[in-house]
mmCIF file of all heavy atoms in Angstrom:
data_model
loop_
_atom_site.group_PDB
_atom_site.id
_atom_site.type_symbol
_atom_site.label_atom_id
_atom_site.label_comp_id
_atom_site.label_asym_id
_atom_site.label_seq_id
_atom_site.Cartn_x
_atom_site.Cartn_y
_atom_site.Cartn_z
ATOM 1 N N PHE A 1 -15.435 17.759 -23.423
ATOM 2 C CA PHE A 1 -15.206 17.586 -21.996
ATOM 3 C C PHE A 1 -15.834 16.274 -21.524
ATOM 4 O O PHE A 1 -16.865 15.839 -22.037
ATOM 5 C CB PHE A 1 -15.840 18.765 -21.260
ATOM 6 C CG PHE A 1 -15.735 18.704 -19.776
ATOM 7 C CD1 PHE A 1 -14.525 18.891 -19.128
ATOM 8 C CD2 PHE A 1 -16.868 18.454 -19.000
ATOM 9 C CE1 PHE A 1 -14.433 18.827 -17.749
ATOM 10 C CE2 PHE A 1 -16.782 18.395 -17.617
ATOM 11 C CZ PHE A 1 -15.566 18.588 -16.991
ATOM 12 N N TYR A 2 -15.214 15.629 -20.534
ATOM 13 C CA TYR A 2 -15.772 14.400 -19.978
ATOM 14 C C TYR A 2 -15.480 14.304 -18.485
ATOM 15 O O TYR A 2 -14.522 14.892 -17.972
ATOM 16 C CB TYR A 2 -15.232 13.154 -20.701
ATOM 17 C CG TYR A 2 -13.738 12.958 -20.616
ATOM 18 C CD1 TYR A 2 -13.152 12.289 -19.540
ATOM 19 C CD2 TYR A 2 -12.901 13.419 -21.624
ATOM 20 C CE1 TYR A 2 -11.787 12.096 -19.463
ATOM 21 C CE2 TYR A 2 -11.532 13.234 -21.567
ATOM 22 C CZ TYR A 2 -10.973 12.571 -20.483
ATOM 23 O OH TYR A 2 -9.607 12.392 -20.402
ATOM 24 N N LEU A 3 -16.341 13.532 -17.800
ATOM 25 C CA LEU A 3 -16.164 13.188 -16.399
ATOM 26 C C LEU A 3 -16.132 11.668 -16.268
ATOM 27 O O LEU A 3 -16.767 10.971 -17.070
ATOM 28 C CB LEU A 3 -17.306 13.745 -15.543
ATOM 29 C CG LEU A 3 -17.444 15.265 -15.437
ATOM 30 C CD1 LEU A 3 -18.725 15.618 -14.684
ATOM 31 C CD2 LEU A 3 -16.230 15.867 -14.740
ATOM 32 N N GLY A 4 -15.432 11.165 -15.255
ATOM 33 C CA GLY A 4 -15.359 9.721 -15.095
ATOM 34 C C GLY A 4 -15.224 9.286 -13.649
ATOM 35 O O GLY A 4 -14.768 10.051 -12.793
ATOM 36 N N VAL A 5 -15.645 8.058 -13.390
ATOM 37 C CA VAL A 5 -15.495 7.444 -12.072
ATOM 38 C C VAL A 5 -15.178 5.976 -12.291
ATOM 39 O O VAL A 5 -15.688 5.347 -13.226
ATOM 40 C CB VAL A 5 -16.776 7.623 -11.226
ATOM 41 C CG1 VAL A 5 -17.991 6.985 -11.912
ATOM 42 C CG2 VAL A 5 -16.596 7.037 -9.832
ATOM 43 N N GLY A 6 -14.301 5.426 -11.440
ATOM 44 C CA GLY A 6 -13.927 4.041 -11.623
ATOM 45 C C GLY A 6 -13.484 3.375 -10.345
ATOM 46 O O GLY A 6 -13.243 4.025 -9.323
ATOM 47 N N THR A 7 -13.382 2.066 -10.412
ATOM 48 C CA THR A 7 -12.892 1.289 -9.275
ATOM 49 C C THR A 7 -12.141 0.078 -9.801
ATOM 50 O O THR A 7 -12.319 -0.330 -10.962
ATOM 51 C CB THR A 7 -14.053 0.848 -8.360
ATOM 52 O OG1 THR A 7 -13.525 0.237 -7.184
ATOM 53 C CG2 THR A 7 -14.968 -0.138 -9.075
ATOM 54 N N GLY A 8 -11.288 -0.489 -8.941
ATOM 55 C CA GLY A 8 -10.497 -1.634 -9.361
ATOM 56 C C GLY A 8 -9.558 -2.083 -8.267
ATOM 57 O O GLY A 8 -9.896 -2.028 -7.079
ATOM 58 N N LEU A 9 -8.360 -2.487 -8.653
ATOM 59 C CA LEU A 9 -7.398 -3.078 -7.728
ATOM 60 C C LEU A 9 -6.089 -2.303 -7.768
ATOM 61 O O LEU A 9 -5.531 -2.058 -8.844
ATOM 62 C CB LEU A 9 -7.145 -4.541 -8.104
ATOM 63 C CG LEU A 9 -6.235 -5.345 -7.181
ATOM 64 C CD1 LEU A 9 -6.890 -5.527 -5.813
ATOM 65 C CD2 LEU A 9 -5.917 -6.698 -7.809
ATOM 66 N N ALA A 10 -5.597 -1.914 -6.579
ATOM 67 C CA ALA A 10 -4.290 -1.273 -6.442
ATOM 68 C C ALA A 10 -3.326 -2.260 -5.798
ATOM 69 O O ALA A 10 -3.584 -2.761 -4.707
ATOM 70 C CB ALA A 10 -4.406 -0.010 -5.599
ATOM 71 N N ILE A 11 -2.214 -2.539 -6.472
ATOM 72 C CA ILE A 11 -1.229 -3.507 -6.000
ATOM 73 C C ILE A 11 0.084 -2.782 -5.731
ATOM 74 O O ILE A 11 0.612 -2.096 -6.615
ATOM 75 C CB ILE A 11 -1.012 -4.626 -7.026
ATOM 76 C CG1 ILE A 11 -2.344 -5.297 -7.380
ATOM 77 C CG2 ILE A 11 -0.023 -5.662 -6.500
ATOM 78 C CD1 ILE A 11 -2.254 -6.238 -8.555
ATOM 79 N N SER A 12 0.616 -2.930 -4.520
ATOM 80 C CA SER A 12 1.863 -2.256 -4.148
ATOM 81 C C SER A 12 2.903 -3.284 -3.705
ATOM 82 O O SER A 12 2.668 -4.496 -3.770
ATOM 83 C CB SER A 12 1.604 -1.254 -3.020
ATOM 84 O OG SER A 12 1.163 -1.920 -1.841
ATOM 85 N N SER A 13 4.044 -2.787 -3.241
ATOM 86 C CA SER A 13 5.099 -3.670 -2.717
ATOM 87 C C SER A 13 5.591 -3.075 -1.405
ATOM 88 O O SER A 13 6.592 -2.363 -1.374
ATOM 89 C CB SER A 13 6.247 -3.804 -3.718
ATOM 90 O OG SER A 13 6.699 -2.531 -4.147
ATOM 91 N N PRO A 14 4.876 -3.332 -0.298
ATOM 92 C CA PRO A 14 5.184 -2.694 0.995
ATOM 93 C C PRO A 14 6.629 -2.913 1.450
ATOM 94 O O PRO A 14 7.253 -3.939 1.149
ATOM 95 C CB PRO A 14 4.193 -3.371 1.948
ATOM 96 C CG PRO A 14 3.065 -3.806 1.086
ATOM 97 C CD PRO A 14 3.701 -4.215 -0.211
ATOM 98 N N ASP A 15 7.133 -1.937 2.200
ATOM 99 C CA ASP A 15 8.532 -1.879 2.608
ATOM 100 C C ASP A 15 8.781 -2.727 3.858
ATOM 101 O O ASP A 15 8.680 -2.248 4.988
ATOM 102 C CB ASP A 15 8.907 -0.419 2.865
ATOM 103 C CG ASP A 15 10.383 -0.249 3.168
ATOM 104 O OD1 ASP A 15 11.121 -1.241 3.105
ATOM 105 O OD2 ASP A 15 10.790 0.889 3.467
ATOM 106 N N THR A 16 9.126 -3.988 3.653
ATOM 107 C CA THR A 16 9.393 -4.877 4.784
ATOM 108 C C THR A 16 10.731 -4.557 5.459
ATOM 109 O O THR A 16 10.890 -4.781 6.660
ATOM 110 C CB THR A 16 9.388 -6.345 4.335
ATOM 111 O OG1 THR A 16 10.358 -6.520 3.290
ATOM 112 C CG2 THR A 16 8.026 -6.752 3.799
ATOM 113 N N ALA A 17 11.684 -4.035 4.682
ATOM 114 C CA ALA A 17 13.015 -3.780 5.239
ATOM 115 C C ALA A 17 12.970 -2.716 6.335
ATOM 116 O O ALA A 17 13.554 -2.881 7.413
ATOM 117 C CB ALA A 17 13.977 -3.365 4.132
ATOM 118 N N THR A 18 12.270 -1.612 6.070
ATOM 119 C CA THR A 18 12.185 -0.545 7.069
ATOM 120 C C THR A 18 11.385 -1.008 8.287
ATOM 121 O O THR A 18 11.753 -0.720 9.435
ATOM 122 C CB THR A 18 11.544 0.711 6.456
ATOM 123 O OG1 THR A 18 12.359 1.174 5.373
ATOM 124 C CG2 THR A 18 11.419 1.815 7.487
ATOM 125 N N ALA A 19 10.297 -1.731 8.065
ATOM 126 C CA ALA A 19 9.496 -2.239 9.182
ATOM 127 C C ALA A 19 10.327 -3.168 10.060
ATOM 128 O O ALA A 19 10.283 -3.091 11.300
ATOM 129 C CB ALA A 19 8.259 -2.963 8.648
ATOM 130 N N THR A 20 11.098 -4.029 9.439
ATOM 131 C CA THR A 20 11.965 -4.939 10.192
ATOM 132 C C THR A 20 13.005 -4.169 10.999
ATOM 133 O O THR A 20 13.269 -4.481 12.176
ATOM 134 C CB THR A 20 12.673 -5.909 9.229
ATOM 135 O OG1 THR A 20 11.689 -6.722 8.577
ATOM 136 C CG2 THR A 20 13.648 -6.802 9.973
ATOM 137 N N ALA A 21 13.583 -3.143 10.391
ATOM 138 C CA ALA A 21 14.606 -2.353 11.074
ATOM 139 C C ALA A 21 14.039 -1.639 12.300
ATOM 140 O O ALA A 21 14.708 -1.548 13.341
ATOM 141 C CB ALA A 21 15.211 -1.343 10.104
ATOM 142 N N ILE A 22 12.806 -1.137 12.197
ATOM 143 C CA ILE A 22 12.190 -0.452 13.338
ATOM 144 C C ILE A 22 11.947 -1.435 14.482
ATOM 145 O O ILE A 22 12.230 -1.150 15.653
ATOM 146 C CB ILE A 22 10.877 0.225 12.917
ATOM 147 C CG1 ILE A 22 11.155 1.351 11.930
ATOM 148 C CG2 ILE A 22 10.126 0.756 14.141
ATOM 149 C CD1 ILE A 22 9.913 1.963 11.322
ATOM 150 N N THR A 23 11.426 -2.610 14.151
ATOM 151 C CA THR A 23 11.200 -3.635 15.178
ATOM 152 C C THR A 23 12.512 -4.009 15.867
ATOM 153 O O THR A 23 12.576 -4.140 17.098
ATOM 154 C CB THR A 23 10.548 -4.875 14.546
ATOM 155 O OG1 THR A 23 9.218 -4.535 14.111
ATOM 156 C CG2 THR A 23 10.445 -6.015 15.556
ATOM 157 N N GLN A 24 13.563 -4.178 15.098
ATOM 158 C CA GLN A 24 14.865 -4.533 15.670
ATOM 159 C C GLN A 24 15.430 -3.395 16.523
ATOM 160 O O GLN A 24 16.085 -3.648 17.537
ATOM 161 C CB GLN A 24 15.837 -4.905 14.550
ATOM 162 C CG GLN A 24 15.499 -6.218 13.863
ATOM 163 C CD GLN A 24 16.360 -6.489 12.652
ATOM 164 O OE1 GLN A 24 16.846 -5.567 11.993
ATOM 165 N NE2 GLN A 24 16.540 -7.758 12.327
ATOM 166 N N TYR A 25 15.165 -2.166 16.107
ATOM 167 C CA TYR A 25 15.648 -1.014 16.873
ATOM 168 C C TYR A 25 15.087 -1.031 18.292
ATOM 169 O O TYR A 25 15.767 -0.647 19.246
ATOM 170 C CB TYR A 25 15.248 0.273 16.157
ATOM 171 C CG TYR A 25 15.605 1.528 16.910
ATOM 172 C CD1 TYR A 25 16.897 2.054 16.871
ATOM 173 C CD2 TYR A 25 14.644 2.198 17.678
ATOM 174 C CE1 TYR A 25 17.227 3.204 17.569
ATOM 175 C CE2 TYR A 25 14.965 3.351 18.388
ATOM 176 C CZ TYR A 25 16.256 3.849 18.321
ATOM 177 O OH TYR A 25 16.581 4.988 19.018
ATOM 178 N N PHE A 26 13.833 -1.487 18.419
ATOM 179 C CA PHE A 26 13.205 -1.549 19.741
ATOM 180 C C PHE A 26 13.464 -2.874 20.454
ATOM 181 O O PHE A 26 12.780 -3.214 21.413
ATOM 182 C CB PHE A 26 11.705 -1.290 19.622
ATOM 183 C CG PHE A 26 11.362 0.154 19.398
ATOM 184 C CD1 PHE A 26 11.040 0.613 18.132
ATOM 185 C CD2 PHE A 26 11.386 1.063 20.448
ATOM 186 C CE1 PHE A 26 10.729 1.948 17.923
ATOM 187 C CE2 PHE A 26 11.074 2.395 20.250
ATOM 188 C CZ PHE A 26 10.750 2.848 18.981
ATOM 189 N N GLY A 27 14.428 -3.619 19.979
ATOM 190 C CA GLY A 27 14.854 -4.817 20.677
ATOM 191 C C GLY A 27 14.139 -6.085 20.281
ATOM 192 O O GLY A 27 14.331 -7.136 20.907
ATOM 193 N N GLY A 28 13.324 -6.048 19.220
ATOM 194 C CA GLY A 28 12.604 -7.239 18.789
ATOM 195 C C GLY A 28 13.497 -8.209 18.033
ATOM 196 O O GLY A 28 14.482 -7.810 17.396
ATOM 197 N N THR A 29 13.165 -9.482 18.109
ATOM 198 C CA THR A 29 13.856 -10.517 17.343
ATOM 199 C C THR A 29 12.942 -10.935 16.193
ATOM 200 O O THR A 29 11.929 -11.609 16.406
ATOM 201 C CB THR A 29 14.178 -11.738 18.224
ATOM 202 O OG1 THR A 29 14.976 -11.327 19.335
ATOM 203 C CG2 THR A 29 14.921 -12.801 17.424
ATOM 204 N N VAL A 30 13.264 -10.498 14.981
ATOM 205 C CA VAL A 30 12.377 -10.721 13.831
ATOM 206 C C VAL A 30 12.515 -12.161 13.344
ATOM 207 O O VAL A 30 13.608 -12.600 12.962
ATOM 208 C CB VAL A 30 12.698 -9.735 12.697
ATOM 209 C CG1 VAL A 30 11.829 -10.039 11.472
ATOM 210 C CG2 VAL A 30 12.469 -8.309 13.170
ATOM 211 N N THR A 31 11.408 -12.876 13.357
ATOM 212 C CA THR A 31 11.398 -14.257 12.879
ATOM 213 C C THR A 31 10.610 -14.418 11.583
ATOM 214 O O THR A 31 10.574 -15.502 11.007
ATOM 215 C CB THR A 31 10.801 -15.186 13.945
ATOM 216 O OG1 THR A 31 9.482 -14.734 14.287
ATOM 217 C CG2 THR A 31 11.664 -15.192 15.199
ATOM 218 N N GLY A 32 9.975 -13.342 11.121
ATOM 219 C CA GLY A 32 9.241 -13.422 9.869
ATOM 220 C C GLY A 32 8.444 -12.165 9.599
ATOM 221 O O GLY A 32 8.183 -11.367 10.512
ATOM 222 N N THR A 33 8.075 -11.977 8.350
ATOM 223 C CA THR A 33 7.220 -10.854 7.956
ATOM 224 C C THR A 33 6.153 -11.342 6.987
ATOM 225 O O THR A 33 6.328 -12.358 6.304
ATOM 226 C CB THR A 33 8.021 -9.729 7.275
ATOM 227 O OG1 THR A 33 8.613 -10.240 6.073
ATOM 228 C CG2 THR A 33 9.104 -9.177 8.193
ATOM 229 N N SER A 34 5.052 -10.618 6.949
ATOM 230 C CA SER A 34 4.015 -10.876 5.952
ATOM 231 C C SER A 34 3.473 -9.533 5.476
ATOM 232 O O SER A 34 3.585 -8.521 6.174
ATOM 233 C CB SER A 34 2.882 -11.730 6.524
ATOM 234 O OG SER A 34 2.227 -11.065 7.591
ATOM 235 N N THR A 35 2.924 -9.517 4.284
ATOM 236 C CA THR A 35 2.417 -8.271 3.712
ATOM 237 C C THR A 35 1.002 -8.454 3.172
ATOM 238 O O THR A 35 0.614 -9.549 2.764
ATOM 239 C CB THR A 35 3.310 -7.769 2.563
ATOM 240 O OG1 THR A 35 3.311 -8.738 1.504
ATOM 241 C CG2 THR A 35 4.731 -7.526 3.035
ATOM 242 N N ASP A 36 0.261 -7.375 3.193
ATOM 243 C CA ASP A 36 -1.020 -7.272 2.483
ATOM 244 C C ASP A 36 -0.802 -6.183 1.448
ATOM 245 O O ASP A 36 -0.772 -5.003 1.773
ATOM 246 C CB ASP A 36 -2.142 -6.904 3.449
ATOM 247 C CG ASP A 36 -3.497 -6.825 2.758
ATOM 248 O OD1 ASP A 36 -3.549 -7.026 1.526
ATOM 249 O OD2 ASP A 36 -4.495 -6.545 3.433
ATOM 250 N N ASP A 37 -0.605 -6.576 0.189
ATOM 251 C CA ASP A 37 -0.122 -5.641 -0.827
ATOM 252 C C ASP A 37 -1.174 -5.167 -1.815
ATOM 253 O O ASP A 37 -0.833 -4.518 -2.817
ATOM 254 C CB ASP A 37 1.045 -6.252 -1.597
ATOM 255 C CG ASP A 37 0.642 -7.521 -2.357
ATOM 256 O OD1 ASP A 37 -0.546 -7.916 -2.283
ATOM 257 O OD2 ASP A 37 1.513 -8.112 -3.010
ATOM 258 N N ASN A 38 -2.457 -5.455 -1.579
ATOM 259 C CA ASN A 38 -3.467 -4.983 -2.530
ATOM 260 C C ASN A 38 -4.745 -4.570 -1.803
ATOM 261 O O ASN A 38 -5.061 -5.074 -0.729
ATOM 262 C CB ASN A 38 -3.761 -6.037 -3.592
ATOM 263 C CG ASN A 38 -4.355 -7.306 -3.013
ATOM 264 O OD1 ASN A 38 -5.556 -7.388 -2.776
ATOM 265 N ND2 ASN A 38 -3.508 -8.308 -2.769
ATOM 266 N N ASP A 39 -5.454 -3.648 -2.418
ATOM 267 C CA ASP A 39 -6.709 -3.152 -1.858
ATOM 268 C C ASP A 39 -7.531 -2.552 -2.990
ATOM 269 O O ASP A 39 -7.050 -2.393 -4.127
ATOM 270 C CB ASP A 39 -6.430 -2.111 -0.769
ATOM 271 C CG ASP A 39 -7.611 -1.931 0.188
ATOM 272 O OD1 ASP A 39 -8.643 -2.602 -0.001
ATOM 273 O OD2 ASP A 39 -7.509 -1.109 1.108
ATOM 274 N N THR A 40 -8.763 -2.198 -2.686
ATOM 275 C CA THR A 40 -9.644 -1.588 -3.674
ATOM 276 C C THR A 40 -9.201 -0.160 -3.978
ATOM 277 O O THR A 40 -8.909 0.621 -3.067
ATOM 278 C CB THR A 40 -11.089 -1.578 -3.168
ATOM 279 O OG1 THR A 40 -11.504 -2.924 -2.925
ATOM 280 C CG2 THR A 40 -12.027 -0.939 -4.189
ATOM 281 N N ALA A 41 -9.136 0.169 -5.243
ATOM 282 C CA ALA A 41 -8.828 1.528 -5.685
ATOM 283 C C ALA A 41 -10.103 2.203 -6.172
ATOM 284 O O ALA A 41 -10.954 1.575 -6.809
ATOM 285 C CB ALA A 41 -7.798 1.511 -6.810
ATOM 286 N N VAL A 42 -10.232 3.492 -5.868
ATOM 287 C CA VAL A 42 -11.360 4.298 -6.340
ATOM 288 C C VAL A 42 -10.799 5.571 -6.953
ATOM 289 O O VAL A 42 -9.883 6.184 -6.386
ATOM 290 C CB VAL A 42 -12.328 4.655 -5.191
ATOM 291 C CG1 VAL A 42 -13.474 5.528 -5.700
ATOM 292 C CG2 VAL A 42 -12.869 3.389 -4.540
ATOM 293 N N ARG A 43 -11.336 5.966 -8.103
ATOM 294 C CA ARG A 43 -10.818 7.178 -8.744
ATOM 295 C C ARG A 43 -11.942 8.001 -9.367
ATOM 296 O O ARG A 43 -12.971 7.464 -9.814
ATOM 297 C CB ARG A 43 -9.748 6.846 -9.782
ATOM 298 C CG ARG A 43 -10.066 5.779 -10.768
ATOM 299 C CD ARG A 43 -8.816 5.285 -11.486
ATOM 300 N NE ARG A 43 -7.973 6.374 -11.935
ATOM 301 C CZ ARG A 43 -8.067 6.942 -13.138
ATOM 302 N NH1 ARG A 43 -8.992 6.509 -13.991
ATOM 303 N NH2 ARG A 43 -7.265 7.910 -13.492
ATOM 304 N N PHE A 44 -11.712 9.315 -9.384
ATOM 305 C CA PHE A 44 -12.600 10.279 -10.029
ATOM 306 C C PHE A 44 -11.739 11.145 -10.939
ATOM 307 O O PHE A 44 -10.640 11.560 -10.540
ATOM 308 C CB PHE A 44 -13.305 11.158 -8.993
ATOM 309 C CG PHE A 44 -14.087 10.382 -7.960
ATOM 310 C CD1 PHE A 44 -13.490 9.978 -6.776
ATOM 311 C CD2 PHE A 44 -15.422 10.060 -8.184
ATOM 312 C CE1 PHE A 44 -14.197 9.258 -5.835
ATOM 313 C CE2 PHE A 44 -16.145 9.338 -7.241
ATOM 314 C CZ PHE A 44 -15.524 8.942 -6.063
ATOM 315 N N PHE A 45 -12.215 11.431 -12.140
ATOM 316 C CA PHE A 45 -11.382 12.188 -13.060
ATOM 317 C C PHE A 45 -12.223 13.033 -14.011
ATOM 318 O O PHE A 45 -13.423 12.802 -14.200
ATOM 319 C CB PHE A 45 -10.449 11.263 -13.857
ATOM 320 C CG PHE A 45 -11.146 10.169 -14.616
ATOM 321 C CD1 PHE A 45 -11.520 10.328 -15.935
ATOM 322 C CD2 PHE A 45 -11.416 8.955 -13.998
ATOM 323 C CE1 PHE A 45 -12.136 9.311 -16.635
ATOM 324 C CE2 PHE A 45 -12.035 7.921 -14.686
ATOM 325 C CZ PHE A 45 -12.403 8.106 -16.011
ATOM 326 N N ALA A 46 -11.565 14.020 -14.604
ATOM 327 C CA ALA A 46 -12.179 14.898 -15.586
ATOM 328 C C ALA A 46 -11.136 15.223 -16.642
ATOM 329 O O ALA A 46 -9.929 15.285 -16.345
ATOM 330 C CB ALA A 46 -12.689 16.177 -14.932
ATOM 331 N N GLY A 47 -11.584 15.394 -17.878
ATOM 332 C CA GLY A 47 -10.629 15.666 -18.935
ATOM 333 C C GLY A 47 -11.234 16.426 -20.087
ATOM 334 O O GLY A 47 -12.465 16.637 -20.147
#
């Protein structure tokens, strides 16, 4: 049996298309988008 704890980097690909569509639905004129696609990951595990 073992226990573990760790940390590192989680990288994703955020959904710009849906965000843009919501802004346009409310009458916005989209001129650009930006994303923050990574953050610290923390995990705990047992096996």
Side-chain angles (χ1 to χ4, degrees):
F1 178 71
Y2 61 86
L3 295 173
V5 60
T7 187
L9 184 66
I11 305 170
S12 64
S13 51
D15 185 4
T16 57
T18 299
T20 297
I22 294 173
T23 293
Q24 290 173 332
Y25 176 81
F26 284 101
T29 302
V30 176
T31 57
T33 62
S34 62
T35 62
D36 182 358
D37 62 0
N38 63 83
D39 201 359
T40 300
V42 178
R43 49 195 314 269
F44 304 90
F45 56 93

